[in-house]
Amino acid sequence: VPVYKTDIEYIEPYASSASELVAEFLEHTLTLGTLPPKEALMLLSGIILDTKQFTRNTGIRTFSAAQYLRSEGASPAEAQTLFETSLDDYKRSAVCAADAKIYREHFAISALRSSDNPEDKITAAKVADILLDLKGVYASFAVFEINNIIHISARSAGKINVASIIEGIGGGGYYESAGAQIKDSTLEETLIALKKQIDNYVDNSTAKS
């Protein structure tokens, strides 16, 4: 696979999503009214997804980007249809969320045994979002074993840096959203490692306060 040298490398930790950054670039480089509505729709959908309906990690620039995309023909109502789910997927997410356990008072963890369904990667993200709505939960982790690979989706309500926790077991991401794919590890081993990282995070935070 060829490796290309990038012309521009831009990291903005305060942006809500990559879609927000791309929208800002397009707004300043394209003539108004020339962005295809379908592309505007995809970018708006990305912002909606990453901000959880504009309730997480948003700023003035997030809404400015959404306003630009709306002016270019993106429909919020149409964007919502892209997130529709089947009844089977909804039930599966609900079952996995219902099986979650609370750890260290404010951490929700759900685990799914071996599966061969690649769609469970999406289910894991949905479960993490669902668990974050539980009262008293500051961070959530959905740990799924899919085709012998452990997939983790992590979410934060804003008080916990889940990226810091996930990085300790080989993953990465952002303050409020992170994930990992771990090979050569069992579900049990991954859960032990995850809890150890949570312990380290909580103990270090307590020591600093």
Side-chain angles (χ1 to χ4, degrees):
V1 178
V3 177
Y4 297 97
K5 183 179 179 180
T6 58
D7 293 323
I8 298 176
E9 184 172 326
Y10 179 49
I11 299 175
E12 175 52 83
Y14 296 102
S16 69
S17 59
S19 295
E20 177 184 323
L21 293 176
V22 172
E24 287 184 341
F25 280 127
L26 294 176
E27 184 176 10
H28 290 92
T29 56
L30 297 181
T31 302
L32 290 177
T34 60
L35 180 64
K38 286 187 178 180
E39 294 183 15
L41 175 64
M42 292 300 102
L43 289 171
L44 179 61
S45 300
I47 293 176
I48 292 174
L49 177 64
D50 287 337
T51 61
K52 198 178 180 183
Q53 309 281 347
F54 293 97
T55 62
R56 307 283 186 197
N57 199 32
T58 59
I60 295 175
R61 289 166 58 180
T62 307
F63 292 98
S64 177
Q67 182 180 15
Y68 161 69
L69 295 172
R70 181 70 183 92
S71 70
E72 293 295 305
S75 168
E78 189 174 354
Q80 288 296 330
T81 64
L82 300 177
F83 303 114
E84 292 177 346
T85 185
S86 68
L87 180 59
D88 288 340
D89 288 340
Y90 179 84
K91 288 181 177 179
R92 188 166 179 75
S93 299
V95 169
C96 293
D99 195 40
K101 302 292 188 298
I102 301 299
Y103 183 71
R104 293 296 294 261
E105 191 176 357
H106 299 297
F107 298 82
I109 302 175
S110 176
L112 176 70
R113 293 289 173 182
S114 183
S115 162
D116 59 1
N117 185 359
E119 293 298 319
D120 277 340
K121 297 177 186 178
I122 300 175
T123 302
K126 292 179 179 178
V127 170
D129 283 333
I130 292 172
L131 295 179
L132 200 59
D133 289 332
L134 296 178
K135 185 176 181 180
V137 169
Y138 296 164
S140 61
F141 301 85
V143 186
F144 282 35
E145 181 182 357
I146 306 171
N147 291 325
N148 298 317
I149 298 177
I150 308 299
H151 297 261
I152 304 177
S153 285
R155 298 291 185 271
S156 167
K159 294 183 178 181
I160 304 295
N161 184 350
V162 289
S164 178
I165 295 174
I166 290 297
E167 286 169 2
I169 53 176
Y174 302 95
Y175 193 99
E176 296 183 348
S177 179
Q181 292 186 20
I182 304 172
K183 299 180 181 179
D184 302 321
S185 179
T186 66
L187 187 65
E188 289 77 9
E189 291 171 341
T190 301
L191 289 172
I192 291 173
L194 174 60
K195 290 178 179 179
K196 182 178 180 180
Q197 290 302 315
I198 293 175
D199 289 339
N200 291 338
Y201 183 90
V202 173
D203 294 340
N204 289 335
S205 298
T206 301
K208 292 178 181 178
S209 61

